[in-house]
Amino acid sequence: MSHSKLAGYDFYRSLNSPRYCMAPMVEQSELAFRLLCKNYNTQLTYTPMIFSHTFLEDKEHRVRHWQTTSDDYPLLVQFCGNDPLTLLEAGKLCLQMPNAQHSVVGMDLNLGCPQKFAQQHRFGAFLMEEQRLVREIVSILHRELPVPVTCKIRIFKDIQQTISYAEMIRDAGCQMLAVHGRTREQRGSIQGLADWDAIKLVRERIKDIPVLANGNIRTLEDAERCIDYTKCDGVLSACGLLESPAMFSGSDGQESKVILAKEYLKLCAEHPPPEYSFMTGHVFKMLKALLSDHEDLKMRLGTAKTREVMFDVVLELERRVENKM
Ligand SMILES: Cc1cc2nc3c(=O)[nH]c(=O)nc-3n(C[C@H](O)[C@H](O)[C@H](O)COP(=O)(O)O)c2cc1C
């Protein structure tokens, strides 16, 4: 799929105006899971965050983690880092990776990671104090990359700061902005609720490029409520999709979870995730509620060493659920 470099809403419309999107997730938004969700009305996905420096320097890591197919369209490749030229080179290189031309529609810059290592290595949400640098990164990517650059940010406590940050990023050349309505401090056990009011106010000021809202989207109804309230073009969901990969098709009943877990494991046979642990993580999250009544199966899943054994455990769970055991 060749994409001339489109801007803002022309870019968005060229992707069929996605409303329901999967947020980037380290170790969890890998190809097999993206394809699963895309089978159930997820209309745009992101790769997990990729360290731009590692991507450039470590060929083995790059090859191992790079996964995409034409069914994976449309895909945003998310990078993190703080060096404009390293990010640019990483962005250019990813476009030459296998199948990139069939699926990759743009490069996303991670400006939201709140973790300690992001602080140590000065990237993600720790660039919120280095706005001159952020401007430089976004401008270079906008100017030099053959695909549009998009950004994912967190909010400041102060709404005016959030708005001027978003405007600066837009002015530097960002073509689509995802706003996670939590501050950098809202993470881990003190995550709390996302602030849709802040997202709404950013949207009111940023009208000329698409804005996606992120935070607290657990069901299709949440997605619709959020779009209705914030007037954003679409939403990103992370935790909601991990538990209910079919959530954007309106189906999040427990019965369908076993079917989804089986479908996911079949996709993994075709596209093995870079690490085995990604698979375990997904199956546990999808089947969380059902497994709570079957401690023995939980144990067997936790100790399963192959995809086939995991599949057998899921089949056994299916049998028990059908027989209401
Ligand atoms: C397992 C996991 C991994 C994540 N990895 C990333 C990442 O690589 N890049 C990023 O920008 N955000 C990452 N996030 C944050 C999500 O993209 C999203 O902003 C956040 O979870 C809020 O959305 P939610 O309320 O729907 O979960 C991650 C979140 C989770 C749960």
Side-chain angles (χ1 to χ4, degrees):
M1 186 123 350
S2 88
H3 262 269
S4 53
K5 186 152 166 161
L6 297 172
Y9 275 100
D10 288 336
F11 166 55
Y12 185 70
R13 278 189 289 267
S14 78
L15 311 179
N16 294 323
S17 308
R19 281 165 79 81
Y20 308 128
C21 313
M22 180 198 292
M25 288 179 278
V26 164
E27 300 186 355
Q28 297 287 269
S29 64
E30 88 285 6
L31 176 63
F33 191 66
R34 296 196 298 265
L35 292 179
L36 176 71
C37 294
K38 276 171 165 153
N39 285 343
Y40 295 92
N41 208 26
T42 291
Q43 296 161 345
L44 170 77
T45 59
Y46 293 65
T47 64
M49 166 179 88
I50 306 172
F51 287 86
S52 50
H53 182 76
T54 312
F55 189 75
L56 279 184
E57 301 295 323
D58 184 342
K59 181 165 182 216
E60 198 189 316
H61 185 276
R62 177 169 72 236
V63 170
R64 186 181 178 82
H65 285 261
W66 181 262
Q67 297 186 298
T68 190
T69 64
S70 51
D71 294 342
D72 197 20
Y73 173 89
L75 175 69
L76 290 169
V77 182
Q78 190 190 60
F79 281 104
C80 66
N82 59 29
D83 181 59
L85 291 179
T86 306
L87 282 157
L88 175 62
E89 289 311 312
K92 283 183 176 165
L93 182 58
C94 89
L95 297 173
Q96 287 158 28
M97 295 297 284
N99 290 323
Q101 78 274 23
H102 300 301
S103 62
V104 176
V105 296
M107 169 173 166
D108 187 71
L109 178 65
N110 180 321
L111 292 171
C113 183
Q115 309 292 347
K116 277 258 151 55
F117 61 86
Q119 183 166 28
Q120 279 154 11
H121 296 278
R122 264 180 71 223
F123 69 81
F126 296 92
L127 296 182
M128 289 164 87
E129 278 87 38
E130 299 200 46
Q131 297 199 13
R132 208 180 274 198
L133 177 60
V134 172
R135 184 202 309 266
E136 190 188 341
I137 294 171
V138 177
S139 315
I140 287 182
L141 298 177
H142 174 53
R143 218 171 45 232
E144 305 286 341
L145 274 181
V147 291
V149 57
T150 66
C151 297
K152 178 166 175 276
I153 62 170
R154 281 188 177 240
I155 58 170
F156 289 85
K157 279 201 189 87
D158 175 59
I159 185 62
Q160 286 315 321
Q161 262 185 297
T162 309
I163 289 172
S164 60
Y165 188 48
E167 286 177 334
M168 179 278 284
I169 289 170
R170 185 266 323 268
D171 294 344
C174 170
Q175 302 302 322
M176 181 165 75
L177 182 68
V179 184
H180 180 187
R182 294 187 175 95
T183 63
R184 191 168 69 192
E185 290 69 35
Q186 287 180 281
R187 65 186 181 97
S189 56
I190 52 159
Q191 177 165 278
L193 289 180
D195 181 350
W196 287 2
D197 286 313
I199 300 174
K200 180 182 160 86
L201 290 168
V202 171
R203 195 327 74 108
E204 272 172 20
R205 293 289 287 271
I206 306 266
K207 293 232 165 88
D208 43 357
I209 59 168
V211 178
L212 304 175
N214 174 223
N216 301 353
I217 310 289
R218 296 288 186 141
T219 62
L220 183 62
E221 291 71 42
D222 289 344
E224 292 303 342
R225 247 183 341 107
C226 182
I227 292 171
D228 195 46
Y229 186 71
T230 62
K231 304 285 182 278
C232 282
D233 300 282
V235 293
L236 305 186
S237 170
C239 298
L241 283 172
L242 289 176
E243 283 183 25
S244 302
M247 142 193 153
F248 285 137
S249 66
S251 150
D252 45 15
Q254 292 304 326
E255 319 72 52
S256 65
K257 300 283 175 69
V258 177
I259 294 165
L260 292 168
K262 287 196 305 183
E263 189 175 339
Y264 169 69
L265 288 171
K266 283 182 190 158
L267 285 163
C268 289
E270 218 179 317
H271 309 289
E275 307 289 344
Y276 180 81
S277 59
F278 296 10
M279 242 180 333
T280 320
H282 277 304
V283 174
F284 265 111
K285 283 175 198 121
M286 274 181 233
L287 300 178
K288 192 165 123 193
L290 291 173
L291 281 170
S292 62
D293 294 335
H294 302 278
E295 279 300 321
D296 59 322
L297 295 186
K298 226 181 188 175
M299 285 277 276
R300 275 170 61 191
L301 258 189
T303 52
K305 296 271 184 293
T306 64
R307 188 194 64 84
E308 288 75 13
V309 172
M310 231 188 264
F311 199 86
D312 285 344
V313 178
V314 177
L315 286 179
E316 171 63 16
L317 179 64
E318 182 175 42
R319 198 181 62 79
R320 291 191 194 175
V321 171
E322 274 171 9
N323 296 322
K324 302 211 172 358
M325 287 164 74

